[in-house]
Every structure is written in structure tokens, then in C-alpha cells.
Amino acid sequence: MGNVVSTREAYGRALCEFGADEKIMVFDADLTICTMSCYFAEKYPERFFNAGIAECNMAGMAAGAAASGKTAFCHTFAMFAAGRIYDQVRNSIAYPGLNVKVVGTHAGLSVGEDGATHQCIEDLSLMRTIPGMTVICPSDANETREAVKAMIGYNGPCYLRLGRSGVECVTDSADGYKFELGKGVQLKDGGDVTVIATGLMVQEALKAAALLKKEGIEARVIDLHTIKPIDKEIIVKAAKETGAIVTTEEHNIIGGLGAAVSEVIGETCPVPVVKHGVEDVFGHSGTAEALMVKYGLTPEKLAAKAKEAIALKNRK
């Protein structure tokens, strides 16, 4: 495991790094320090706009900029990006297919002490059901940087999910790692079961695989950083070769990564799929570490889910 950096921090630095493109315009809803758009604002103040605590107006401003040929980035907490401005994202950004990148930071339970009202565990589900919306959930700093670069090169609406807490870098040292929108990455091979992870659960998946290895179980680990469009090829290949799949996400097990993978499996190569994530309940206030344990988002619980999937496979 490498350095510990939050994906929001990595995002802010990457946006600043690639921000020389004069087509890029950045909008924020009075959260520049939290969303890390402050780096861009400091370096390119002439292309940065703070809409204040008016997220819906911010989305409209971003849509207007994109309609004028700009590449617009708009930022707020995931709870507001997926909830409060859903109408504007759907009708003013996605429906006309505008080149707006909606960035939702502080996603998932790892927001911590802010509690259930700010712990967005529905955003992947909401955003992936919007027609034409690309949905990305990077696992670490390196992957976040690559995602920002790819989004700038892609013409169309995107949703980028970022976290508050620091996470260990794993993709920068992965053999043959290559980021491509719509393509998953296999981080570890294995033939007994496949663990498909997104976001900070990629690191937990690798830890779970290490635990399973001690029991003689070889788990394949796939980093599915793009939830939509989903990489059907890597999922079907894993299903055929391992016969059992576990999905893991810091998100409700309804509608997110697990649902997306299940849809692919159900239409192609039916094998057992066990979902690991938040079990359709709201969060609580607490430290990120305590909440991950309370809601079972740990390597130990994930390893148990993998063994459950293997048991289902062996019943056939």
C-alpha cells in the first residue's frame, strides 16, 4: 500500500494540474476548501466562479457555460450533487448532453461525524439511471488523477464520486495498470471467486483477498472505477472463470455497483452474485473508522461474503 491521500485532495490538485486548458470553467457552491476546488481558484481565478450556497443555480451556471462550448466542472457535497440538484443535472445537463462534470465530494459513510443527512449512499444509483451520464468512483489518488484527465478529454456529462477520508494508494504500483473510462482493472488474479470493488472498498478487497489466501482461497480482485458505462467484458470473463462474484461498495447495496454487476450477470453468464455494502439503512454520526466497522465494510466481513458466494457456487 502507498501514501494515504483523500480522493478529493487528489482531485483538486489534478484539476489544477490540467487546468491550463482555457475551455475549463469551474463552479463551486461555497465549499472550495472542502471540495478542493480552491487549488484551481487560486491559480485560475478568472475561470472560477463561486455561486454561494445555491447549488441549483450553480448547476444552471455550469450548464450555460457548457452550452457556450466550455468544459464545466461544478462541485458540492455528494448529498447535494445527487439530491438537491438532481432536477438540474437531469434536465439541464444530461438531457441536452452538455459537457458538465458534476463532482460530488464527501460521499458515503466515511464522511463520518456529519451523520446520516450528509452520508450519501444513494448517489451511484441516482446518477447511473440518468440517460447518458458517465459515473466514476475512483479508489485512490492515482486513479483520481487519471479520471480527471480522462473526463477533460471526454465530451459529455459525468458524475465523479469522491471521499473525505485519506485512502491508501494501490493503483500506482499495480502491474500493467491503465485507466480508461468504461473499463475495469484486474488488480489480482484468482480462480475461486471474484471480488468486484469500487471506491475505497478496492483497498478493503485487496486486504480481504489476503485473508482468503491464508485459507487457501484465491480471490480475483477487480477495480471497477467506472460504474457506467460498465465493463461487461471483464465481468463476464470473471464469471466464466471463477463462477462466483462478490461486489463491494461504500453505498447502498440497492441500485449501485452490486445492482449494475447483477444486471450484466443476469443477461450473460448467470453465476452467484453476493452484494456487500450498506444494507439499505441510514448511517449514524461517528468516526469514519467506527462507521466502517459498524456497517460491516471491513476485510473480514468481505471475506465472509466471498466464502458465501463460493458456497452458493458449490451447491450447483
Side-chain angles (χ1 to χ4, degrees):
M1 300 290 186
N3 296 327
V4 175
V5 183
S6 69
T7 51
R8 64 180 175 125
E9 171 77 19
Y11 166 78
R13 294 191 180 279
L15 184 62
C16 187
E17 177 186 352
F18 301 123
D21 182 351
E22 293 192 356
K23 285 188 175 182
I24 295 175
M25 295 179 69
V26 173
F27 302 84
D28 202 287
D30 204 32
L31 292 169
T32 57
I33 302 299
C34 298
T35 64
M36 298 296 176
S37 64
C38 53
Y39 294 118
F40 185 95
E42 182 177 354
K43 189 170 183 179
Y44 303 106
E46 72 282 0
R47 289 186 278 118
F48 176 83
F49 303 89
N50 190 341
I53 307 173
E55 293 89 350
C56 297
N57 288 345
M58 174 191 67
M61 292 165 65
S68 301
K70 304 297 184 180
T71 301
F73 283 78
C74 62
H75 310 78
T76 185
F77 292 162
M79 193 67 248
F80 306 143
R84 184 166 295 172
I85 66 173
Y86 183 86
D87 181 26
Q88 286 72 28
V89 171
R90 181 190 186 277
N91 292 318
S92 298
I93 294 173
Y95 175 61
L98 295 177
N99 194 23
V100 177
K101 319 306 179 184
V102 180
V103 182
T105 68
H106 294 64
L109 296 177
S110 57
V111 172
E113 290 84 352
D114 288 348
T117 58
H118 282 55
Q119 293 164 358
C120 192
I121 55 171
E122 311 90 355
D123 52 327
L124 295 179
S125 175
L126 289 166
M127 289 298 174
R128 82 179 187 91
T129 58
I130 296 177
M133 179 66 74
T134 293
V135 180
I136 311 159
C137 182
S139 63
D140 64 13
N142 176 63
E143 192 159 81
T144 302
R145 179 184 180 276
E146 294 299 317
V148 174
K149 185 178 180 181
M151 284 195 303
I152 291 173
Y154 170 75
N155 185 21
C158 297
Y159 175 68
L160 179 67
R161 185 188 215 233
L162 302 173
R164 176 186 189 180
S165 303
V167 289
E168 295 169 300
C169 291
V170 294
T171 62
D172 55 350
S173 59
D175 291 339
Y177 177 86
K178 179 185 178 183
F179 183 94
E180 185 179 348
L181 288 178
K183 292 293 182 181
V185 182
Q186 183 173 304
L187 298 180
K188 179 187 176 300
D189 198 10
D192 296 321
V193 64
T194 297
V195 181
I196 300 178
T198 196
L200 59 75
M201 293 310 295
V202 169
Q203 287 84 337
E204 305 311 301
L206 290 169
K207 295 172 186 175
L211 293 176
L212 291 166
K213 187 175 180 65
K214 293 178 180 178
E215 299 183 44
I217 299 171
E218 291 293 341
R220 181 175 304 187
V221 177
I222 292 173
D223 169 9
L224 209 61
H225 50 69
T226 306
I227 310 299
K228 183 186 174 186
I230 199 163
D231 188 347
K232 293 183 179 181
E233 182 179 355
I234 199 170
I235 294 170
V236 172
K237 183 174 186 291
K240 290 179 178 178
E241 293 177 357
T242 68
I245 289 176
V246 178
T247 61
T248 182
E249 57 196 309
E250 187 202 8
H251 185 274
N252 195 340
I253 57 171
I254 296 175
L257 173 69
V261 170
S262 296
E263 289 163 9
V264 173
I265 292 299
E267 295 174 353
T268 55
C269 180
V271 300
V273 177
V274 175
K275 302 183 187 70
H276 177 245
V278 183
E279 299 279 348
D280 197 29
V281 292
F282 285 109
H284 288 277
S285 180
T287 66
E289 295 79 9
L291 290 168
M292 295 291 278
V293 172
K294 177 178 175 61
Y295 290 92
L297 302 183
T298 63
E300 292 78 13
K301 293 291 186 180
L302 179 53
K305 289 286 187 180
K307 287 188 277 188
E308 181 182 328
I310 293 170
L312 289 171
K313 174 179 72 170
N314 292 337
R315 285 182 196 172
K316 295 175 68 176

